[in-house]
Amino acid sequence: MFISFLTTRLFKALMVMLGVVVINFFLIRMAPGDPAAVLAGESGASDPAFVEALRAQFGLDQPLLTQLWVYLKGAVQLDLGYSYRNHVPVFDLIMERLPATLLLMAAAFVISIVAGVALGALAARSRFRNRHRWVDSLVMSSAMLLYATPLFWLALLSVIIFSVILGWFPAFGMESVAASYVGWEKVLDIGRHLVLPACSLAAFFMAVYARLIRASMLEVMGMDYVKTARAKGVPPGRVLRVHVMRNALMPVVTFAGVQLGQLAGGAVLTETVFGWPGVGRLMFDALLQRDYQLLLGGFLVTSAMVVFFNFMADLVYRVLDPRIGANGAKS
């Protein structure tokens, strides 16, 4: 049964990746602007023969379907083409920037899960015990405020408050330039630069988790087995930890896979605002420079990350609830 589940998920993941690559390829080719003409213009040469030579060099003179086939064959071999603006293979350039993006996503993911679940559980606990109801109201109001706040506005506001006014954290970059830190000093320096972008990226999802875990816990608290445990005299704290929290976390696991995919998209804006040297900032620069190969490679890598994270979320969900079948429904 598990082998069937795993095979089905892998096949779906591969089909999604193929669809993403094909769609992105045609969307990029439909964008206005000719990379060869842009390069020729920047080099000061407007000779049509020179432009055609550049198009032949980058394979842009071939039929569109031929270009797609060449790209698909290369992608299978991890050959994502050559960045004509950076004069570096696209795969090498993305792998150089990928650790920074993964670090930002991991930090934002952990912050949103831990803080969101803790705040949601605190709100549900205050409502469950019917004491300190103001805690529930405060948490839910704050979550709604974070949920409604645009990411770019929150990022810029955090720079103004915590960097410009208070001077607590650096505003831009991943580490101090020319500081030559090593060992723990370098780790702490990167951590200080990571705080603002990670918290800005995590704020929206933290609000979602807080509301989600609160609603889930309140629903589970009304179940018969919870009422039975309370009637037997089980302490309220144990009821929450043992009987409520485990089942209330199931929707969180489901949303976690979706969140990781959205984090990959939100990282583009966050990295641009904070000057974080990741794949998102690299894709933004590639878009401005009409570097199609690099942009396609960035789309491919981020899409692969999204598919992988959702695949892992499916596996975790299957472990937590073995009744989930290969088609995603309970058997």
Side-chain angles (χ1 to χ4, degrees), residues 95-108:
M95 289 301 104
E96 180 183 341
R97 297 289 193 95
L98 187 59
T101 296
L102 291 177
L103 177 62
L104 176 60
M105 291 177 58

Side-chain angles (χ1 to χ4, degrees), residues 41-121:
E42 291 182 352
S43 63
S46 58
D47 183 10
F50 180 67
V51 175
E52 288 302 320
L54 288 178
R55 290 178 57 83
Q57 179 182 351
F58 301 127
L60 299 176
D61 60 335
Q62 300 178 3
L64 200 57
L65 292 180
T66 303
Q67 295 181 43
L68 175 61
W69 175 246
V70 171
Y71 185 77
L72 288 176
K73 288 196 301 182
V76 172
Q77 303 171 8
L78 298 181
D79 179 9
L80 304 181
Y82 191 80
S83 173
Y84 50 82
R85 296 301 300 263
N86 298 276
H87 305 289
V88 177
V90 169
F91 184 79
D92 295 344
L93 192 56
I94 292 178
M95 289 301 104
E96 180 183 341
R97 297 289 193 95
L98 187 59
T101 296
L102 291 177
L103 177 62
L104 176 60
M105 291 177 58
F109 182 73
V110 171
I111 291 172
S112 61
I113 287 253
V114 173
V117 170
L119 290 174

Side-chain angles (χ1 to χ4, degrees), residues 94 97-98 101 268 271 277-284 298 301-302:
I94 292 178
R97 297 289 193 95
L98 187 59
T101 296
V268 176
E271 291 177 2
V279 176
R281 177 64 183 271
L282 186 66
M283 293 173 61
F284 179 76
V301 171
T302 53

Side-chain angles (χ1 to χ4, degrees), residues 25-32 292:
F25 180 86
F26 284 109
L27 287 177
I28 292 295
R29 289 299 187 270
M30 291 170 59
Y292 287 164

Side-chain angles (χ1 to χ4, degrees), residues 23 50 63 66 78 96 112 228 257 262 267 290 305 318 323:
I23 292 174
F50 180 67
T66 303
L78 298 181
E96 180 183 341
S112 61
T228 302
Q262 294 177 337
R290 302 290 196 278
M305 290 166 54
R318 175 63 187 265
R323 295 172 297 173

